[in-house]
Amino acid sequence: MTAPLTRIRGGVHTPVAHDSAHTHVTGAAHFVDEHPTVPGTLDAALVLSPHAHARIAAIDVCRALAAPGVVAAIAAGDIPGRNDIAPIRSDEPLLPADLVTCDGQPVVAIAADTLDQARAAAKLVDITYELLPAVLTIEQAMQREDYLVPPQTIARGELASGFSQAAHRLGGEVRCGGQDHFYLEGQIALATLGENGDMHVLSSTQHPNEVQRGVAHLLGLPMAAVIVEVRRMGGAFGGKESQATLIAGIAAVLAWKTRRPVKLRLPRDDDMRATGKRHPFIIRYDVGFDAEGRILALDMTLAANGGNVADHTPAVVTRALCHADNCYWLPNVRLTGLACRTNTVSNTAFRGYGGPQGMLAIEAVIDAIARTLKLPVESVRARNFYGRDHNNVTPYRMVVEDNIITKVVDELDRAVDLKAWRADIDAFNARSPVLKKGLATMPVKFGISFNRPALNQAGALINVYTDGSVLLNHGGTEMGQGLFIKVAQVVAEVFQIDIDCIRLSATSTAKVPNTSPTAASAGSDLNGMAALAAAEQIKSRLIELAAAHFDVPAKEIVFNANRVYAGNRSISFAELTALAWDRRVSLSAAGFYRTPKIHWDHATASGRPFYYFTYGAAAVEVAIDTLTGESRVLRAELVQDCGRSLNPAIDLGQIEGGFVQGMGWLTSEELWWDDSGHLRTHGPSTYKIPGSRDAPPVFRVRTLDEAPNREETVFRSKGVGEPPLMLAIAVWLAIRDAIAAVGPAGRVADLDAPATPERVLAAIDRMRGVDRG
């Protein structure tokens, strides 16, 4: 007799609710600001630079220190250790000593008994500046050749030969703007000085290890003397990967100086002025192609506005170059990436990390080719898709081994009947003089892993108790994306116990050291595998114990449905754990995982930066008003590759949320600086993120069936945090399609992103040849 096959509650591949769903909607979830504080805790406020570029001539904090409740003020000279919080390179100060290099840069911080007192005192700080010329645009930086790092190039083949064989040649330029993360919970940290000068920091961060390292440098401490903890964030999207170190660092220096706990939380306006955003890009291309639209040569430059310091910009540019091929074989290609230095806030990681900009670039090229040749864009794409056994090497020399893009695109076509849909659009446009509709599709091939191989590692710690309950800790962070519940499902599956038996603990550098950021869509891959490794260690010990207990070979022991079986005999999982304690068998294990196969040579810009690719496709219908330039997404049909999803419900939320966030980037979210370098869109009154009414009325998501990951990921799942955002490029392409409906065939809509009403109306005028002066 064998163990009955019974499913546990909450194992892998099942739609389990987010572990904090109930507490989120009831308000019971504790974020950093809800953490109880001890008497004597101080609140902090920042003094931000009002200039894009200036020399600091003098700082006078006397009036601020004399204000009610004020305990301390700090500037660069008050930092006891090294004034550098650069995440990748160096020379990125917490507070500037001599020069401010962007509007909104923190210069002074105040600590007071109350938040109101701190913010009032911050207005009393007197700083004398000597204004300097500012570089505010990508074009200005390119003209000066002012780059944060030397230009990067990925190349293959012979451009001259490719262009000579091309029957057609086009050149063009397209621009895409930045995007604020606009997380619901702003940047915040609570720093507490411990005995022996140790520092404990509660931080809203995706990268506890980065905050730990930054605080240790600032205070001149070993990393072991700094503990950083985070239970959850109220959103992050990349904005709390490196930027959180700025907030935690200031709180920690103030706590060190005052010897009291200090909390620093930014109001929305300060948050938007002081922290980095998605990188704006200018893309310029020269493409040669044949009569059927096959690309024979492509010379493309992708110039990013990096802002005032490097931050993540070099890596973002690399990632953009590695996604500028999207799904297409480019036989002769040169991709050049420029990390432009400007006197605007340093741009940083954002969901997609350069991938969206790279994909938008190549899709603009494909769209231009199709319209020039008066061919369906889907046909041009298909002729350029990577092959399975040939034409399957990327410009950076990685073989695409898991190519399923044709399968994904065909699944979308079968589901929505693109030909009939296009006929409906054309019929509507023929009878509608003012409102025009557009239809576009978007394929996606997105690489999963960090481009820097060293970051592709993770650790986990699992403790099993004598009542059968399990405490799970790992290096990943929870920001609402559902990582914690997915990793818990992995552990539940290994032990074959209900998900209710597993408790989740806050991420802490004291429990799992040297963690990587929760980013790059690799959170489940990395931390799930680390937890799997830890759980398997404990399980193997329990198997040996159970085999001895039942006097059977270890291979006969079966874990199933909260019990452990040996033929027709069994004990509960809890009974076995109690027995393990009695027999002095360890019920704790640390697991470690490092992603295999990946490598990257920075000198040659080649290698295998990605373990695998996640694929997807979207079809989108929009309508535009040709009199006002307003647009509306009417219908979105998505097909997403999730491998064998660990949690279909969580993945569905990621797909829908990523798509809508991408919509915002490409339509309504416009960052605008004036001629003096002041950000004027720094709050919800001036910066428009999508609302519930902006979501498409018809919004369908399908996940690809029977498509397990060919690589040995955790239960053959795939990362889906970022790829769906790029499906929203279909929205931008559909608006371009609607604009093209007002002009002659063969014309390419001249539309940058975001496609605001002003830009749409101007593009319509250009399509019609109208000059409004």
Side-chain angles (χ1 to χ4, degrees), residues 135-443:
V135 175
L136 301 176
T137 67
I138 295 175
E139 295 94 331
Q140 291 171 344
M142 291 176 70
Q143 185 176 9
R144 295 161 53 102
E145 296 186 357
D146 192 358
Y147 305 126
L148 294 160
V149 294
Q152 303 178 45
T153 303
I154 294 177
R156 172 176 58 198
E158 296 293 336
L159 277 179
S161 175
F163 279 122
S164 69
Q165 298 172 41
H168 302 273
R169 189 166 178 173
L170 281 175
E173 178 181 288
V174 65
R175 299 161 182 253
C176 53
Q179 185 179 23
D180 191 82
H181 303 86
F182 219 90
Y183 23 65
L184 289 179
E185 177 204 30
Q187 298 278 358
I188 185 170
L190 173 61
T192 304
L193 188 67
E195 60 184 42
N196 300 320
D198 291 2
M199 187 65 67
H200 181 273
V201 183
L202 290 175
S203 174
S204 183
T205 178
Q206 294 172 246
H207 198 350
N209 186 70
E210 181 64 38
V211 171
Q212 179 191 37
R213 186 172 70 95
V215 169
H217 285 174
L218 292 165
L219 299 182
L221 296 173
M223 290 177 67
V226 179
I227 295 175
V228 178
E229 181 180 333
V230 54
R231 172 57 182 90
R232 60 172 62 84
M233 289 163 275
F237 311 115
K240 296 176 179 177
E241 189 170 339
S242 64
Q243 304 292 288
T245 306
L246 172 69
I247 309 308
I250 291 172
V253 173
L254 281 168
W256 172 86
K257 183 169 185 176
T258 63
R259 324 308 283 181
R260 292 165 65 176
V262 174
K263 180 190 288 187
L264 173 59
R265 55 195 185 276
L266 300 190
R268 180 66 60 180
D269 294 271
D270 286 0
D271 195 310
M272 292 187 70
R273 289 181 61 205
T275 64
K277 312 177 190 317
R278 186 187 297 283
H279 290 72
F281 270 66
I282 293 178
I283 299 114
R284 293 172 179 164
Y285 64 86
D286 183 8
V287 61
F289 51 98
D290 67 17
E292 293 185 315
R294 292 183 183 87
I295 296 175
L296 302 179
L298 175 65
D299 190 5
M300 180 184 287
T301 297
L302 298 97
N305 184 340
N308 64 326
V309 295
D311 196 81
H312 279 250
T313 297
V316 168
V317 170
T318 302
R319 193 93 168 179
L321 297 178
C322 288
H323 284 86
D325 61 331
N326 193 12
C327 304
Y328 311 115
W329 161 252
L330 304 172
N332 303 289
V333 59
R334 180 171 60 198
L335 304 171
T336 303
L338 304 177
C340 298
R341 186 197 313 271
T342 66
N343 294 117
T344 59
V345 65
S346 177
N347 289 309
T348 190
F350 199 128
R351 196 178 197 171
Y353 204 84
Q357 297 95 322
M359 287 191 194
L360 183 141
I362 191 63
E363 291 304 326
V365 173
I366 291 286
D367 186 53
I369 291 171
R371 294 193 183 278
T372 299
L373 298 176
K374 301 179 184 178
L375 294 173
V377 68
E378 288 76 22
S379 299
V380 173
R381 284 198 182 112
R383 290 172 186 140
N384 286 285
F385 277 158
Y386 280 113
R388 296 292 297 272
D389 302 313
H390 68 287
N391 294 348
N392 61 348
V393 181
T394 68
Y396 47 90
R397 310 298 192 272
M398 177 177 172
V399 178
V400 182
E401 299 172 338
D402 58 2
N403 187 356
I404 58 171
I405 191 58
T406 299
K407 177 181 179 179
V408 172
V409 168
D410 289 348
E411 175 67 23
L412 176 66
D413 196 4
R414 281 193 298 271
V416 303
D417 192 350
L418 286 170
K419 185 177 180 180
W421 193 354
R422 168 57 70 185
D424 289 343
I425 296 289
D426 291 343
F428 176 89
N429 288 339
R431 65 177 183 268
S432 176
V434 175
L435 298 181
K436 296 293 183 181
K437 289 186 176 182
L439 171 63
T441 56
M442 175 66 194

Side-chain angles (χ1 to χ4, degrees), residues 10-25:
V12 296
H13 313 312
T14 58
V16 181
H18 192 288
D19 58 283
S20 299
H22 179 74
T23 54
H24 281 162
V25 298

Side-chain angles (χ1 to χ4, degrees), residues 383-731:
R383 290 172 186 140
N384 286 285
F385 277 158
Y386 280 113
R388 296 292 297 272
D389 302 313
H390 68 287
N391 294 348
N392 61 348
V393 181
T394 68
Y396 47 90
R397 310 298 192 272
M398 177 177 172
V399 178
V400 182
E401 299 172 338
D402 58 2
N403 187 356
I404 58 171
I405 191 58
T406 299
K407 177 181 179 179
V408 172
V409 168
D410 289 348
E411 175 67 23
L412 176 66
D413 196 4
R414 281 193 298 271
V416 303
D417 192 350
L418 286 170
K419 185 177 180 180
W421 193 354
R422 168 57 70 185
D424 289 343
I425 296 289
D426 291 343
F428 176 89
N429 288 339
R431 65 177 183 268
S432 176
V434 175
L435 298 181
K436 296 293 183 181
K437 289 186 176 182
L439 171 63
T441 56
M442 175 66 194
V444 166
K445 172 184 69 68
F446 188 80
I448 305 296
S449 294
F450 292 95
N451 271 65
R452 183 183 178 188
L455 293 175
N456 294 281
Q457 60 176 293
L461 174 65
I462 294 177
N463 297 326
V464 180
Y465 298 91
T466 55
D467 62 353
S469 63
V470 177
L471 183 66
L472 168 63
N473 188 272
H474 54 79
T477 57
E478 178 61 54
M479 60 198 88
Q481 85 281 33
L483 173 64
F484 274 28
I485 192 63
K486 280 187 171 184
V487 179
Q489 287 177 266
V490 169
V491 175
E493 190 73 24
V494 172
F495 290 140
Q496 280 294 295
I497 59 176
D498 292 337
I499 195 74
D500 300 341
C501 299
I502 299 173
R503 288 292 180 269
L504 306 163
S505 59
T507 306
S508 172
T509 57
K511 296 178 181 177
V512 177
N514 310 315
T515 59
S516 295
T518 303
S521 300
S524 297
D525 286 357
L526 294 173
N527 297 286
M529 287 295 275
L532 178 70
E536 290 285 8
Q537 290 178 55
I538 297 171
K539 185 177 181 180
S540 67
R541 299 171 198 155
L542 292 176
I543 287 173
E544 290 184 13
L545 176 63
H549 176 72
F550 289 116
D551 194 21
V552 298
K555 65 181 180 180
E556 294 185 16
I557 300 299
V558 177
F559 285 58
N560 181 253
N562 301 294
R563 299 192 68 79
V564 181
Y565 292 85
N568 61 358
R569 295 175 292 165
S570 72
I571 60 175
S572 69
F573 181 78
E575 290 171 326
L576 183 59
T577 58
L579 181 63
W581 178 83
D582 186 69
R583 302 292 170 84
R584 294 180 293 177
V585 175
S586 173
L587 291 172
S588 179
F592 180 78
Y593 174 75
R594 67 175 189 172
T595 308
K597 299 185 178 182
I598 56 175
H599 54 92
W600 182 253
D601 185 337
H602 288 280
T604 62
S606 64
R608 179 174 178 163
F610 309 122
Y611 189 27
Y612 62 87
F613 294 100
T614 295
Y615 297 84
V620 170
E621 177 183 331
V622 304
I624 65 171
D625 186 327
T626 60
L627 299 180
T628 66
E630 295 172 283
S631 65
R632 179 75 194 273
V633 181
L634 303 177
R635 178 183 174 190
E637 305 278 357
L638 280 55
V639 174
Q640 181 63 53
D641 161 36
C642 301
R644 287 202 68 199
S645 172
L646 290 174
N647 186 322
I650 293 295
D651 284 350
L652 176 62
Q654 286 293 286
I655 296 165
E656 292 175 339
F659 181 85
V660 172
Q661 189 170 53
M663 260 179 54
W665 169 51
L666 294 163
T667 58
S668 64
E669 296 187 44
E670 184 176 32
L671 293 163
W672 190 80
W673 279 264
D674 65 21
D675 292 340
S676 298
H678 301 123
L679 179 64
R680 295 302 190 185
T681 49
H682 50 75
S685 63
T686 51
Y687 185 80
K688 177 67 171 66
I689 65 171
S692 59
R693 294 183 180 181
D694 296 305
V698 179
F699 193 6
R700 299 188 183 97
V701 176
R702 300 167 180 85
T703 54
L704 200 63
D705 294 328
E706 302 302 321
N709 198 334
R710 62 174 284 153
E711 299 295 349
E712 294 183 16
T713 54
V714 58
F715 292 101
R716 301 287 175 168
S717 60
K718 284 191 173 185
V720 295
E722 293 169 299
L725 186 141
M726 280 141 283
L727 294 177
I729 294 174
V731 173

